[in-house]
Amino acid sequence: MNRPRFITFEGPEACGKSTQIERLQRRLQARSEKVLLTREPGGTPLGESIRHLLKHAPEGASATPEAQLLLFAASRAQIVRKVIRPFLEQGGWVLCDRFCDSTVVFQGVAGGLGEALVSQVNGVAMGDCLPGLTLLLDIPVEESLRRLKLRSRPEGELDHFDDQSIDYFKRVRAGYLSLAERERLRIHRLEGMLPVDEVEKNIWERVSYAFSIQ
């Protein structure tokens, strides 16, 4: 299977994505590979503005799931065409903190819009730019909430997606696990409760196998 060198990291809030995506970047760069690390929403000036609106701006707190879906799609359409595709065409690796699966899970499953609608909008936003591998860092809901409470933020800065009920986060995790079960060829679940170094080792083994790295 010839996979695009496009790897996305997914999982519940505070699952350790940021740590592991940076470690994978360093491993690939140590092999003299060109690596782009980016995030969703974000990754472009337009996308970063949308990110702030969705996650932090007071106006974003009341956004409906439908509005969230379309804003995420706008950010995704921009980053795919302006950043991801051009970098892949130059032979580089793209590592992205969240992508299409987050929208399926957060807005489609937990937000109640349904996976079919979200997948249709995702198709318009990303076209055929599907990740070659998606790494799902899975942790229990209780651990996710515990880590969120410990997460430090600048004074006055809130994340609207953190301020949800425990039932919402349970739907998020269930949505990810269901998606991983259905898309086993692309999505690989990793035990996020293991020590950080062990998670890194497991990720590198999966990446090496998926992309035939010797």
Side-chain angles (χ1 to χ4, degrees), residues 79-105:
I79 194 174
V80 163
R81 289 155 183 84
K82 295 293 187 178
V83 176
I84 296 175
R85 275 182 180 164
F87 202 83
L88 291 173
E89 289 169 358
Q90 294 169 13
W93 292 77
V94 176
L95 310 182
C96 193
D97 187 340
R98 297 202 183 284
F99 194 59
C100 57
D101 300 307
S102 285
T103 316
V104 171
V105 170

Side-chain angles (χ1 to χ4, degrees), residues 125-153:
M126 67 185 186
D128 60 357
C129 191
L130 191 69
L133 176 65
T134 296
L135 300 167
L136 170 61
L137 273 66
D138 181 40
I139 60 174
V141 171
E142 295 75 14
E143 177 62 14
S144 175
L145 294 175
R146 186 189 72 81
R147 293 181 185 182
L148 282 175
K149 289 181 181 179
L150 298 175
R151 180 180 283 176
S152 61
R153 296 191 184 280

Side-chain angles (χ1 to χ4, degrees), residues 18-149:
S18 298
T19 297
Q20 294 301 332
I21 197 170
E22 290 175 358
R23 288 186 174 212
L24 179 57
Q25 179 189 35
R26 289 196 294 270
R27 277 186 179 262
L28 289 169
Q29 287 176 334
R31 299 174 59 87
S32 300
E33 298 282 1
K34 292 193 304 179
V35 184
L36 172 68
L37 194 160
T38 190
R39 64 181 183 177
E40 268 234 278
T44 65
L46 175 63
E48 290 298 327
S49 295
I50 292 173
R51 181 184 184 90
H52 177 72
L53 175 61
L54 281 166
K55 294 174 72 69
H56 304 301
E59 299 85 354
S62 61
T64 66
E66 292 86 354
Q68 292 173 0
L69 170 63
L70 295 173
L71 286 167
F72 277 117
S75 177
R76 185 161 302 134
Q78 189 78 353
I79 194 174
V80 163
R81 289 155 183 84
K82 295 293 187 178
V83 176
I84 296 175
R85 275 182 180 164
F87 202 83
L88 291 173
E89 289 169 358
Q90 294 169 13
W93 292 77
V94 176
L95 310 182
C96 193
D97 187 340
R98 297 202 183 284
F99 194 59
C100 57
D101 300 307
S102 285
T103 316
V104 171
V105 170
F106 282 87
Q107 280 69 50
V109 177
L113 294 182
E115 294 185 40
L117 173 62
V118 175
S119 295
Q120 186 177 10
V121 174
N122 268 341
V124 175
M126 67 185 186
D128 60 357
C129 191
L130 191 69
L133 176 65
T134 296
L135 300 167
L136 170 61
L137 273 66
D138 181 40
I139 60 174
V141 171
E142 295 75 14
E143 177 62 14
S144 175
L145 294 175
R146 186 189 72 81
R147 293 181 185 182
L148 282 175
K149 289 181 181 179

Side-chain angles (χ1 to χ4, degrees), residues 153-168:
R153 296 191 184 280
E155 185 176 355
E157 183 180 48
L158 300 175
D159 187 324
H160 304 315
F161 292 97
D162 292 351
D163 188 23
Q164 300 288 342
S165 69
I166 189 169
D167 287 338
Y168 178 89

Side-chain angles (χ1 to χ4, degrees), residues 135-213:
L135 300 167
L136 170 61
L137 273 66
D138 181 40
I139 60 174
V141 171
E142 295 75 14
E143 177 62 14
S144 175
L145 294 175
R146 186 189 72 81
R147 293 181 185 182
L148 282 175
K149 289 181 181 179
L150 298 175
R151 180 180 283 176
S152 61
R153 296 191 184 280
E155 185 176 355
E157 183 180 48
L158 300 175
D159 187 324
H160 304 315
F161 292 97
D162 292 351
D163 188 23
Q164 300 288 342
S165 69
I166 189 169
D167 287 338
Y168 178 89
F169 286 110
K170 286 180 178 178
R171 292 196 298 273
V172 166
R173 187 185 185 208
Y176 270 124
L177 294 178
S178 175
L179 202 57
E181 182 66 22
R182 297 198 308 272
E183 296 200 34
R184 294 183 182 181
L185 292 179
R186 175 175 66 87
I187 303 175
H188 181 71
R189 177 191 170 276
L190 293 144
E191 177 52 66
M193 293 295 289
L194 295 174
V196 174
D197 289 346
E198 191 167 346
V199 175
E200 178 187 358
K201 175 176 174 291
N202 292 340
I203 286 174
W204 183 244
E205 288 177 352
R206 171 51 51 173
V207 170
S208 299
Y209 174 79
F211 295 93
S212 301
I213 297 175

